[in-house]
Amino acid sequence: MKRIKMGCTTLSIPAMALGIMRMNQKSVPEAQVAIQAAYDAGINFIDSADIYGGGKSEEIFGQAFSQMQIKREEMFIQSKTGIVPGKRYDFSKEHILHSVDEILERMQLDYLDSLVLHRPDALMDPEEVAEAFDQLQAAGKVRFFGVSNFDTAQFKLLQSCLSQRLMFNQLQFSLKHTGMIDFGMHMNMVDKPSVDRDSQFLDYARLHKVTVQAWSPFQYGMFEGTFIDNDGFPKLNQELQKLADKYEVDKNAIAAAWILRHPANIQMLVGSMNPQHIRDSAKGAKIRLTRQEWYDLYLAAGNYLP
């Protein structure tokens, strides 16, 4: 498994993480198989959130992991908080602290390696968040911190009040969600791709050594479905298959390799609970697409160059 540096640190993390959003749909033994498949493929980074499965995903993970032979210190375990489903976003100190205690209890852990704030809260008080982070770190409950779906100004605002460096920003990025790179290639144009909807965060991340975590790497839309083997995307699947045949892998590996080819050292979140899918996707970390192959896929996905 390809390894990358985490944020501004010298710590090494895998270029892929296992997202456990769907672990609530699995039994404990099935969850163990998925975790082991990821671990054996070099994916020793877990990404969760307190809302996944209404907390059930973390409960299943906790039960599964506690019975496995993998040592806690061999895993990097991350969770997210800040969404109160159907009601509000909540970055209050009280909510953050209470959520972390509940996460640790569900996952049967003494600490989280990373806590990520899950989508921006319009009522965020950066100084209040800073108090929560300081308290969590001082108590040994959280080692590192990050955010999810923050634009550059939101990220800089929060960072200005923190004593810790933010390590991560989770952003949607895939062959069918390319806004973060479209506008750069369409600079000085007046067409639709020239619109910057992501406040140049990818460039900011590279300048300030922030690790971008790409979610939904095989999805189109937000959660409409996968573009892999989807009849609605014949040209893209034809190109994926062509390269899959060349590199002797499956299409998931090629779609993953496309993300990891970007020089920003992006970490990709694999959300599957299918052990074979996990193993197949992990193979993408061993492939370095040529520049032409990368652009061929970009164009086959329905993008165009000015």
Side-chain angles (χ1 to χ4, degrees):
M1 172 56 59
K2 175 184 176 183
R3 308 283 295 187
I4 61 175
K5 289 183 179 179
M6 184 183 76
C8 61
T9 74
T10 59
L11 296 178
S12 172
I13 57 174
M16 292 186 185
L18 179 67
I20 65 168
M21 183 173 69
R22 299 176 179 86
M23 192 165 277
N24 64 303
Q25 302 169 13
K26 299 297 180 181
S27 66
V28 170
E30 289 172 333
Q32 289 176 324
V33 173
I35 295 168
Q36 191 67 54
Y39 182 79
D40 291 343
I43 302 174
N44 64 332
F45 193 116
I46 301 295
D47 174 69
S48 182
D50 54 5
I51 64 167
Y52 289 168
K56 186 68 174 178
S57 292
E58 293 188 334
E59 289 180 7
I60 296 295
F61 174 85
Q63 294 170 35
F65 186 66
S66 66
Q67 300 172 29
M68 299 179 70
Q69 298 302 310
I70 304 172
K71 295 180 180 179
R72 169 65 182 91
E73 58 269 23
E74 294 178 342
M75 297 292 281
F76 191 106
I77 301 176
Q78 169 178 283
S79 190
K80 301 183 287 293
T81 190
I83 297 178
V84 181
K87 295 183 179 180
R88 65 181 185 278
Y89 299 139
D90 194 339
F91 288 178
S92 66
K93 178 180 177 181
E94 179 183 16
H95 181 77
I96 293 171
L97 296 178
H98 180 67
S99 295
V100 169
D101 285 341
E102 291 190 327
I103 290 168
L104 294 176
E105 182 178 356
R106 285 193 296 269
M107 301 186 84
Q108 300 186 35
L109 301 172
D110 295 324
Y111 68 94
L112 288 173
D113 291 288
S114 176
L115 177 71
V116 167
L117 298 181
H118 204 175
R119 288 199 169 275
D121 174 12
L123 300 180
M124 177 182 72
D125 180 342
E127 294 180 350
E128 186 176 0
V129 173
E131 291 178 7
F133 284 6
D134 286 344
Q135 189 169 324
L136 288 169
Q137 194 169 61
K141 295 180 179 180
V142 180
R143 297 175 63 206
F144 302 103
F145 300 91
V147 296
S148 174
N149 303 294
F150 270 46
D151 68 22
T152 302
Q154 292 165 337
F155 191 96
K156 292 166 72 173
L157 173 62
L158 178 57
Q159 183 63 81
S160 70
C161 293
L162 299 178
S163 55
Q164 306 88 1
R165 283 285 295 270
L166 291 169
M167 295 291 147
F168 307 106
N169 191 3
Q170 284 194 11
L171 299 166
Q172 187 176 7
F173 185 58
S174 74
L175 274 162
K176 291 302 296 179
H177 195 98
T178 56
M180 285 197 298
I181 58 175
D182 293 340
F183 78 93
M185 291 184 283
H186 288 257
M187 189 271 178
N188 201 35
M189 306 293 289
V190 294
D191 53 1
K192 186 177 180 180
S194 69
V195 178
D196 175 14
R197 296 178 174 84
D198 301 286
S199 65
Q200 302 182 43
F201 191 86
L202 195 58
D203 292 332
Y204 176 87
R206 296 176 72 181
L207 285 168
H208 297 276
K209 300 187 184 305
V210 179
T211 297
V212 170
Q213 297 177 320
W215 57 271
S216 288
F218 308 126
Q219 301 284 315
Y220 67 95
M222 191 166 183
F223 294 115
E224 278 83 344
T226 179
F227 56 79
I228 305 286
D229 293 326
N230 188 318
D231 292 339
F233 309 102
K235 189 173 181 180
L236 176 55
N237 276 280
Q238 181 180 1
E239 193 65 30
L240 286 168
Q241 189 62 60
K242 172 185 171 183
L243 293 173
D245 291 341
K246 173 184 174 180
Y247 289 101
E248 299 182 335
V249 294
D250 73 349
K251 294 178 183 177
N252 287 343
I254 299 301
W258 185 86
I259 293 172
L260 300 183
R261 180 63 174 82
H262 195 280
N265 282 324
I266 294 169
Q267 185 186 47
M268 194 191 87
L269 305 181
V270 181
S272 176
M273 291 290 98
N274 182 313
Q276 190 58 49
H277 188 170
I278 294 169
R279 287 189 286 266
D280 290 341
S281 298
K283 293 176 183 178
K286 299 179 181 179
I287 297 170
R288 181 175 173 82
L289 298 173
T290 68
R291 287 176 174 268
Q292 191 59 58
E293 289 168 346
W294 190 90
Y295 274 101
D296 286 345
L297 286 165
Y298 178 76
L299 295 171
N303 300 299
Y304 63 94
L305 300 175

